[in-house]
Amino acid sequence: MVFFENVIHILYFVMAGLVGFSMCKSLFRRKKNKGFVFDAMYAYCLIPFLLRVLYIK
Amino acid sequence: MSTTMLTLILLIIMIAAFVLSSIKLKSPDISMAVAAVVLAIAGTIAVPELGNPVRYLVEGLFVNLDLALLFIAASIFVNIYAHSGAIAAITRGVVEKINNKWILMSIMGVLMLIPGALTGAGSVAIFVLGGLVNTVLEYLGISQKKRTVFICFFAMLSAACPPINLWTMLMTAQANMPYVGFTWLLLIPIVIAGAFTIVFVGWGAKPQNKEETLAKFPPKDPKLKWWRIVLPFVAIVGLFLLALYDPWGLPVLGLPLMFLIAGLVALLCNPKKTTFKEYLGILDDTMEQVFPLVANVLSIGVLQSAMAATGVRGLIGSTAVGLPLVLIYVLIIIVGPICQGCFNYGVSIVLGGPLIFMFNTLGMDVTVICAALSLIFPLGDTLPPSRIVGRLACETTEYKESYLSFFKTLVLPMLFLGAMGVAMMVLHSKLAFLY
C-alpha cells in the first residue's frame, strides 16, 4: 500500500508538470482568450504548477 | 486606531481594488488577484509584522490547486468520452425510449445529483452530465435560459446531497460533532427543492418532434457497443464508491487521478480510430476550455490567503456571529451565499463554525442547524466573485446573454431552497425526528 501511495504521489507531480507544460504552451500560442489580461492570467496560474514540479512547494 | 477599524479600512481597500480592476480589466479572475495583491501590500504596510506579502500570495495559489487539477482531469475525461460518441448515443437512447416530459426531467435531475453526492463538488456533476442533460432538455423544448437554470441548480443540490456534503463535514469537524444523522435532514429538502425546480423549469415547455430531434444527432456508430458506453461510467462511479465505502482497501487516489483513470478507460473503449496527434489536440482544447475556471479558483485562493493574513476574513465571521438572533435568521440567506461566493468551502470555517458554536450556546439543535446551513451555503456557488457553478452551467449550455439575466431566473428556486433552510433553522426542535 505504501508503495502505491508513493507512486500516486509521483503521478500527481507528473500531472502538475504536464498541466504546467500545457499552460506554458498556451501562454505563447492559443486559439481563444487572447489579449494582455489573459497573458497575465496564464503567467500567474503557471506559478503553482511550476513550483510543484520543481519540488519547491 | 483600533484593530477592528484598521481591518475595516483594509476591507474597503480590497473592495475598491476589486471594483476598479473589474471595471478596467473586465475579468473577475484577474480582478481577484489584483485585489489580493493590493490587500496584501496594504496589510503589510499597516502591520509590518506580517512580513513579506509575496508569501501570502504564493501560498494562496496552492489553496485551490487540487480543485484546479480536478477541473482539468474531469474535463479531459468528459472530452475523451464525448469524442468516442458515447454521450450522443446515450442521449439518443433516452430520447427514443422515454416519452413523458416529467419522467425524463426527473431522471435527468436524479442523474445530476449522483456525481456531486459522491464527490461533494457540484462542478463535477456539470462536467460529467451537463452536456447530456442540456441536449435532453433542449429536446423537451425548454429555453436555453431555463436549461442553464436546471443544470446550475441541480449541480448545487448535488454538492449538498448526502453522503458527501463538504460544508457539513467541515462544520462538524470544527465543532467536534460526529458526521452522523444528516442523510434525511439533507435529502428531504433536496428532493422537495428539486421537484419544485423541475416544475418551474418544465412548466409550459412543449417537446420537439422526436424524429426531427433524432435526425440532429450524429448517426449511430455500429462499433459503439453498449459496453464501450457503460465501462467509463462504471470505472468512475466504481472508484467513487470504492473510495467511499472501502477507504482502507484502496490507496488514496484523489478525484483528479480517478478522472484520469476513467479517461484512460474511455480512451481504450473509443471505437473510432484516433491518432496520438488528435488526442493531443483534444487535450489542448480541453486546457483552453477549462482555463478560465482554473484561473478563477486559483485567484480565489490568493484572495482567501490575503484576507486570512490581514484579518479581513475574521472580521466578516465575527461580525456575522455578533448579530442578534433574528437578524441572523434574516441575513443568513444573503450573507451565507455571499461568503460562499468569496471563500467557497471556506465559508464553513469563517461563518459556519462560529454560528454552530453560537447556536449550541443557545441550546438549539445544532445537527438540524448544521444541515440547514449546508443547504444555504451552496447557493453562493452562483454569486460573484467566484460563481463557479453558475459559470460552468452557462458554458455548458453556451448561454451568451448577460449573467444577470440568467441569475434573475435562478433566483426563485434559490429563494425556495434558502427559505427551506431558514425554516429548518427556526423549527429546529420539530425536525429532530429526522435523525
Side-chain angles (χ1 to χ4, degrees):
Chain A
M1 194 68 98
V2 175
F3 170 74
F4 284 118
E5 299 274 359
N6 286 334
V7 171
I8 290 165
H9 186 68
I10 293 165
L11 279 176
Y12 272 95
F13 277 93
V14 174
M15 208 190 294
L18 291 173
V19 172
F21 175 74
S22 173
M23 248 182 216
C24 195
K25 208 171 106 183
S26 300
L27 174 62
F28 296 103
R29 198 185 60 191
R30 55 184 182 267
K31 289 176 199 161
K32 51 182 184 180
N33 298 333
K34 292 179 178 174
F36 163 73
V37 172
F38 272 95
D39 281 346
M41 274 159 66
Y42 268 99
Y44 83 73
C45 287
L46 193 58
I47 296 170
F49 295 101
L50 209 60
L51 292 178
R52 180 62 51 99
V53 173
L54 296 172
Y55 265 62
I56 293 173
K57 191 148 169 66
Chain B
M1 194 189 291
S2 70
T3 316
T4 310
M5 187 52 76
L6 183 70
T7 320
L8 189 64
I9 292 170
L10 288 174
L11 175 64
I12 293 166
I13 290 172
M14 183 196 83
I15 294 170
F18 179 77
V19 171
L20 287 176
S21 180
S22 296
I23 294 167
K24 187 79 184 154
L25 301 172
K26 297 194 181 347
S27 159
D29 311 324
I30 200 158
S31 302
M32 277 190 279
V34 170
V37 171
V38 171
L39 178 63
I41 293 170
T44 330
I45 292 168
V47 188
E49 290 80 12
L50 280 176
N52 193 343
V54 176
R55 182 186 145 199
Y56 303 111
L57 301 175
V58 174
E59 274 178 3
L61 281 169
F62 285 86
V63 170
N64 289 330
L65 186 65
D66 289 341
L67 201 58
L69 280 176
L70 166 65
F71 287 156
I72 294 166
S75 304
I76 289 172
F77 161 67
V78 171
N79 283 346
I80 292 177
Y81 191 59
H83 175 76
S84 70
I87 291 181
I90 295 174
T91 318
R92 175 186 274 276
V94 169
V95 171
E96 268 176 351
K97 292 207 168 71
I98 301 170
N99 293 314
N100 187 296
K101 176 174 82 174
W102 301 112
I103 292 176
L104 205 50
M105 285 182 77
S106 304
I107 291 172
M108 291 299 117
V110 172
L111 281 178
M112 276 217 69
L113 288 180
I114 295 168
L118 293 174
T119 60
S123 47
V124 175
I126 301 185
F127 276 124
V128 177
L129 290 163
L132 187 145
V133 172
N134 181 42
T135 318
V136 172
L137 295 186
E138 193 179 1
Y139 152 67
L140 291 177
I142 294 164
S143 70
Q144 192 185 33
K145 191 187 283 180
K146 284 203 166 173
R147 292 201 305 268
T148 317
V149 167
F150 184 93
I151 291 170
C152 179
F153 194 74
F154 271 93
M156 284 193 294
L157 288 182
S158 78
C161 194
I164 304 287
N165 179 314
L166 286 174
W167 295 278
T168 310
M169 282 175 152
L170 287 166
M171 281 188 280
T172 50
Q174 204 182 3
N176 279 333
M177 283 163 64
Y179 181 62
V180 175
F182 289 97
T183 306
W184 295 111
L185 277 173
L186 291 168
L187 203 57
I188 290 172
I190 285 170
V191 170
I192 296 170
F196 174 81
T197 310
I198 286 172
V199 174
F200 172 70
V201 170
W203 196 264
K206 284 185 182 145
Q208 295 171 1
N209 182 296
K210 191 182 266 191
E211 308 309 318
E212 279 177 24
T213 309
L214 288 173
K216 284 182 201 164
F217 289 120
K220 265 186 186 173
D221 184 351
K223 286 184 199 160
L224 191 65
K225 305 288 181 208
W226 67 268
W227 59 269
R228 289 185 191 270
I229 297 172
V230 171
L231 260 185
F233 262 117
V234 170
I236 192 69
V237 175
L239 286 170
F240 287 164
L241 291 175
L242 269 176
L244 193 63
Y245 294 109
D246 189 20
W248 308 113
L250 183 85
V252 181
L253 290 171
L255 283 173
L257 197 56
M258 285 182 188
F259 273 107
L260 282 193
I261 292 169
L264 194 68
V265 175
L267 188 146
L268 294 172
C269 291
N270 180 11
K272 291 179 187 168
K273 278 184 183 166
T274 311
T275 60
F276 183 68
K277 203 178 169 185
E278 281 173 319
Y279 277 123
L280 280 184
I282 293 173
L283 290 182
D284 278 346
D285 289 345
T286 307
M287 278 305 296
E288 286 205 18
Q289 176 195 347
V290 83
F291 177 75
L293 205 64
V294 170
N296 185 284
V297 290
L298 293 181
S299 304
I300 292 167
V302 177
L303 192 62
Q304 279 178 353
S305 174
M307 285 170 87
T310 53
V312 170
R313 193 168 121 161
L315 177 74
I316 296 169
S318 57
T319 309
V321 171
L323 292 171
L325 196 58
V326 178
L327 259 185
I328 291 179
Y329 287 147
V330 175
L331 289 179
I332 191 67
I333 198 168
I334 300 164
V335 177
I338 288 175
C339 285
Q340 167 71 19
C342 297
F343 310 123
N344 284 343
Y345 295 113
V347 67
S348 313
I349 308 297
V350 177
L351 207 59
L355 280 176
I356 291 293
F357 282 120
M358 194 204 73
F359 283 117
N360 192 38
T361 315
L362 296 173
M364 294 163 83
D365 191 324
V366 283
T367 305
V368 180
I369 300 274
C370 192
L373 289 174
S374 304
L375 292 170
I376 294 171
F377 291 153
L379 300 175
D381 277 340
T382 56
L383 293 181
S386 60
R387 58 192 167 101
I388 291 175
V389 172
R391 256 173 79 159
L392 264 178
C394 288
E395 278 172 25
T396 304
T397 58
E398 294 180 356
Y399 186 74
K400 298 283 182 231
E401 286 175 48
S402 75
Y403 188 81
L404 195 64
S405 68
F406 145 73
F407 187 73
K408 277 180 190 166
T409 316
L410 183 66
V411 160
L412 193 63
M414 278 175 71
L415 277 179
F416 186 80
L417 182 62
M420 268 204 295
V422 175
M424 281 172 75
M425 287 173 79
V426 177
L427 305 169
H428 58 93
S429 57
K430 292 192 171 71
L431 297 170
F433 72 93
L434 285 172
Y435 69 91

